Amino acid sequence: MRQKRARRDEILTALEAGSADVEALAARFGVSASTIRRDLQDLSAQHPIARTYGGAMLAGSAVEQSLGTRATQRRPAKAAIAEAALALLAEGETLILDGGSTVEALGRRLPGWLSGRRLRVITNNLPLIPVLAGAPGLELIVLGGVVRPISMGTTGPFAEQSLRQMSADRLFTSADGLLPGYGLCEATPEQVSLKSLMMRQAASVVVLADASKLGQGKQPFWAPLPPGAVLVTDAAEAECAPYRAEGLRVIRVAPPG
């Protein structure tokens, strides 16, 4: 028993330093991988642990970056993902555009894509309102609610009440992180509550996530993905494989540069 406690204390230390690989931990302690998995399961009762592909990490909250900061990061990747997402659209569809800088990059391309086509857009992404309002052929519906200045999106019961009265052909969403078996993570329960409702109201769910988001679970609240969801990313095939294995359709774009 004392040996087990010591091993779990060392596992926790390893998790605090970053993610930990199950096989590496098993070799380090001279036990089976299944023993390490049981250790992680027991530790999760006392600590917020998120499973990663082949390992685990502490899922404590990371400092949330503002939308302005995120918009300046990985711009070429986000542009490539947004261009690939445009190819999924069909004339006359109703879209839900969630918050986030990558979804914003898609939204900013919609007026140019329309060119005589029609779209209806439902969104809580406030920076897109002046971009889409008045665009020829586009009907814009804005979800009211509590404004989160750090992400410039709306959440809460008012946004959800409105959304329950609508349905859509396609949802484009993003997240602070994405883990196989867990789905998308965000900083607040209000964000994942609205995001989960968006998934239910849409016939198709498309996740726009650059490579830095895959395998990350630093925020504490999770929205599981529905079967058949689509992931558009610039990540390498090895990073995409776990998501394909759990049934996601993965569209890879060429890494920038």
Side-chain angles (χ1 to χ4, degrees):
M1 181 63 70
R2 185 176 303 170
Q3 184 179 14
K4 181 189 292 186
R5 284 200 299 268
R7 184 178 68 243
R8 291 180 178 178
D9 286 344
E10 289 190 47
I11 291 173
L12 189 58
T13 299
L15 292 173
E16 288 172 344
S19 61
D21 179 81
V22 167
E23 297 296 336
L25 289 172
R28 174 178 171 181
F29 295 111
V31 297
S32 67
S34 60
T35 296
I36 295 297
R37 293 189 185 97
R38 284 195 297 271
D39 288 340
L40 291 171
Q41 184 176 356
D42 291 341
L43 283 169
S44 68
Q46 300 169 324
H47 304 277
I49 293 174
R51 295 302 301 274
T52 63
Y53 184 62
M57 64 188 296
L58 285 181
S61 302
V63 175
E64 188 180 5
Q65 293 182 320
S66 70
L67 181 66
T69 298
R70 284 182 280 127
T72 65
Q73 298 170 342
R74 300 184 60 84
R75 279 181 171 175
K78 292 175 181 179
I81 291 168
E83 289 292 338
L86 281 177
L88 300 175
L89 301 183
E91 197 274 339
E93 286 190 327
T94 295
L95 311 179
I96 301 175
L97 300 185
D98 192 11
S101 57
T102 312
V103 176
E104 181 184 341
L106 168 62
R108 290 186 178 278
R109 287 164 169 75
L110 291 183
W113 178 89
L114 284 164
S115 186
R117 302 184 180 104
R118 297 176 298 105
L119 281 177
R120 176 182 294 116
V121 171
I122 303 164
T123 190
N124 66 328
N125 194 319
L126 297 182
L128 286 179
I129 296 174
V131 175
L132 301 179
L138 190 145
E139 178 186 352
L140 179 62
I141 301 173
V142 180
L143 297 176
V146 178
V147 176
R148 299 186 73 247
I150 194 168
S151 62
M152 291 306 293
T154 59
T155 62
F158 295 118
E160 293 183 20
Q161 181 179 351
S162 298
L163 186 57
R164 285 192 183 94
Q165 300 176 53
M166 294 178 273
S167 60
D169 298 290
R170 212 176 300 274
L171 161 67
F172 290 96
T173 185
S174 59
D176 277 3
L178 176 63
L179 281 178
Y182 283 79
L184 311 179
C185 71
E186 294 288 2
T188 69
E190 292 81 9
Q191 286 172 282
V192 297
S193 179
L194 181 60
K195 194 179 296 283
S196 296
L197 180 59
M198 287 176 170
M199 294 182 193
R200 290 195 294 272
Q201 300 301 100
S204 174
V205 173
V206 184
V207 180
L208 308 182
D210 66 65
S212 70
K213 302 294 183 66
L214 272 63
Q216 297 298 312
K218 296 180 180 179
Q219 299 296 356
F221 301 100
W222 294 88
L225 291 170
V230 178
L231 170 62
V232 186
T233 183
D234 65 319
E237 178 55 38
E239 297 175 86
C240 296
Y243 303 94
R244 293 189 195 275
E246 67 172 20
L248 271 68
R249 174 190 170 197
V250 180
I251 299 174
R252 292 184 59 234
V253 301

